[in-house]
Amino acid sequence: MRPVILLLVLEACLMVLGCRSHSNPLPETQPFFVRHQLSSDFFAEGVAVGDFNRDGILDIVGGAYWYAGPDFKQRYAIYPPVVFDPLNYSTDFLTFVYDFNHDGWPDVLVINFPGQDASWFENPKGANTLWVKHQVIDHVGSESPAFVDINSDGIPELVYIAADGRLGWAGPDPSDLTRPWIFHPISPNVNYGVFTHGLGVGDINGDGRPDILEQNGWWEQPASLAGDPVWTFHPVPFGPGAQLYAVDIDGDGLNDVVASVAHFYGLAWFQQVRQNGQISFCKHVIMGDPNNPNRYGVSFSELHAMVVTDVDGDGIPDIVTGKRHWAHGPNGDVDPNGPSVVYWFKTVRTDQGVDFIPYLIDDKSGVGTQIFVGDVDGGGRREIVVSNKLGTFFMQRAGNALPQVQPQLPLTTGCQP
């Protein structure tokens, strides 16, 4: 083995085994991720991936810079870079990639601090120059806006809270892609605030139409969106989390909901239950506070970003989340200076119920307000990208073998408060 590779492997092993006691000591056979730090400056808490130079290799964008793959050592400015004070916040809360003007070059959508604007930056098609900015929304409320095709037209739209307190969505004007986007409310004014937590999109009732999830329940999409009708609201206390996901966790064909707690402790899934055609949810706590940790002994706070996706390729959705570093500074929230961890929870369906086995990805990066999970290096395995007050990071998969991790507590299967 070459010396450089050996050093990377040793570093990765130390990352996995050297974490403060967040879980049982894990065997050296645990699959690990090699952490690559692209920047140590605070540019953003949003992050995304796209092939910005069209060389067939994915690149990473975090704040004002995009980093060219495959080694991400060369970076290029999208807009004038600003290094932000970690005691405060950046102007990039979330980042999304899409070819807005359909010219074949991926552009970048930046969601500013909650209550500020959303703008997309036009890819200069390989020219080494700043990208042209198109401000398309003046006020974006919510701390986790979703960028997804809500009206099934094949083009993603932004789901967010408008300045008047209504929940809805907006998308590009097909007659002029640089014009401001048109807002379509789906709720009355229910006094949603700028910093409202918890938002997602997914089909809850199985009718093929995406519904909108928020911390107080879900809004059912009607058969027609003509005239911007108010959607039907179904109250469920999903809680003040980050991104909400509607996904079939237990394999019964019904979409459940996965939710985290953004500024305390807590991770849970809400099992969908059908009885006489009525939909209800049974809450299962995956991880609580230090007095009620994961059954493997894991507990951490500030789960302000989350992705639910199949990490290990077994066809079952897993959970990727972590601790947001200094969500409100070094003296805010709970345990603000604890290890900045990133975990993935492997979903295991058993005869007794669903288990979630925690595997440490890293303890020196944490999350911001967004996580990207996908095959970044083209190796066929899922990897992790984050950007936050510690910098911008790429966690690259470097192993496959799963260890035997012994639980400390029995599996709890009943509904929990």
Side-chain angles (χ1 to χ4, degrees):
M1 181 177 289
R2 291 181 294 176
V4 174
I5 297 177
L6 178 59
L7 286 174
L8 289 175
V9 172
L10 290 174
E11 179 190 358
C13 290
L14 288 173
M15 275 196 296
V16 171
L17 300 175
C19 181
R20 200 174 72 181
S21 56
H22 286 269
S23 63
N24 291 341
L26 301 180
E28 293 184 358
T29 54
Q30 179 181 354
F32 50 79
F33 289 75
V34 176
R35 182 185 68 249
H36 302 278
Q37 186 158 7
L38 281 57
S39 171
S40 60
D41 291 319
F42 174 32
F43 289 117
E45 291 191 89
V47 71
V49 168
D51 183 8
F52 301 116
N53 56 3
R54 296 208 313 181
D55 63 354
I57 300 172
L58 288 177
D59 313 303
I60 293 172
V61 56
Y65 287 108
W66 69 271
Y67 303 81
D71 59 11
F72 311 110
K73 293 181 180 179
Q74 183 66 47
R75 68 185 187 184
Y76 303 89
I78 295 176
Y79 52 87
V82 175
V83 178
F84 295 96
D85 183 352
L87 295 176
N88 296 305
Y89 303 96
S90 76
T91 57
D92 186 332
F93 226 64
L94 294 102
T95 302
F96 302 100
V97 173
Y98 184 72
D99 180 9
F100 288 99
N101 56 2
H102 311 298
D103 63 357
W105 294 78
D107 309 303
V108 173
L109 175 66
V110 175
I111 312 302
N112 203 332
F113 188 76
Q116 303 299 315
D117 64 282
S119 302
W120 68 272
F121 292 82
E122 185 175 349
N123 193 319
K125 303 180 182 179
N128 188 13
T129 183
L130 296 180
W131 299 23
V132 175
K133 177 182 179 180
H134 304 282
Q135 183 170 322
V136 290
I137 303 175
D138 293 333
H139 177 106
V140 177
S142 170
E143 296 208 6
S144 302
F147 187 58
V148 65
D149 183 7
I150 194 72
N151 61 355
S152 302
D153 65 350
I155 299 173
E157 292 85 26
L158 190 71
V159 179
Y160 64 100
I161 296 169
D164 63 4
R166 292 183 295 174
L167 179 63
W169 58 275
D173 182 346
S175 66
D176 186 346
L177 299 171
T178 65
R179 288 178 56 82
W181 293 358
I182 300 171
F183 181 70
H184 302 271
I186 66 104
S187 78
N189 183 354
V190 287
N191 295 317
Y192 290 108
V194 170
F195 301 106
T196 296
H197 288 70
L199 190 64
V201 175
D203 183 6
I204 293 293
N205 57 1
D207 63 1
R209 295 186 292 270
D211 307 303
I212 294 180
L213 320 175
E214 47 108 322
Q215 62 174 320
N216 300 311
W218 62 283
W219 295 85
E220 180 181 350
Q221 181 171 162
S224 172
L225 296 180
D228 293 337
V230 172
W231 297 16
T232 301
F233 180 66
H234 304 272
V236 183
F238 293 131
Q243 292 82 9
L244 297 173
Y245 281 84
V247 62
D248 186 4
I249 291 292
D250 55 4
D252 65 355
L254 303 176
N255 277 340
D256 312 297
V257 174
V258 180
S260 64
V261 177
H263 291 301
F264 193 65
Y265 297 95
L267 178 64
W269 72 284
F270 295 76
Q271 181 182 17
Q272 184 177 156
V273 179
R274 296 277 182 98
Q275 188 173 17
N276 299 322
Q278 298 299 308
I279 295 175
S280 62
F281 289 89
C282 171
K283 180 181 179 180
H284 302 274
V285 175
I286 300 171
M287 181 182 71
D289 62 28
N291 295 320
N292 300 281
N294 178 276
R295 78 187 197 104
Y296 296 88
V298 173
S299 179
F300 55 89
S301 62
E302 308 299 312
L303 287 73
H304 210 300
M306 180 180 65
V307 171
V308 180
T309 187
D310 181 8
V311 173
D312 56 357
D314 64 357
I316 300 175
D318 308 301
I319 302 170
V320 180
T321 186
K323 181 181 179 65
R324 182 184 176 193
H325 181 77
W326 283 9
H328 295 126
N331 301 309
D333 305 304
V334 293
D335 192 28
N337 297 300
S340 299
V341 296
V342 183
Y343 270 90
W344 74 277
F345 293 79
K346 177 178 171 60
T347 306
V348 180
R349 297 166 179 165
T350 75
D351 293 338
Q352 291 75 40
V354 182
D355 193 13
F356 298 88
I357 305 175
Y359 295 105
L360 177 67
I361 294 172
D362 186 56
D363 68 347
K364 293 181 176 62
S365 56
V367 303
T369 51
Q370 188 177 28
I371 305 172
F372 178 87
V373 181
D375 182 9
V376 179
D377 66 2
R381 297 181 292 194
R382 295 297 181 96
E383 289 136 346
I384 319 296
V385 185
V386 297
S387 189
N388 57 28
K389 296 180 180 181
L390 291 174
T392 303
F393 302 87
F394 167 44
M395 271 71 81
Q396 187 176 28
R397 274 291 292 275
N400 275 326
L402 288 173
Q404 295 295 319
V405 183
Q406 296 301 321
Q408 300 176 7
L409 301 169
L411 180 63
T412 301
T413 58
C415 300
Q416 296 160 278

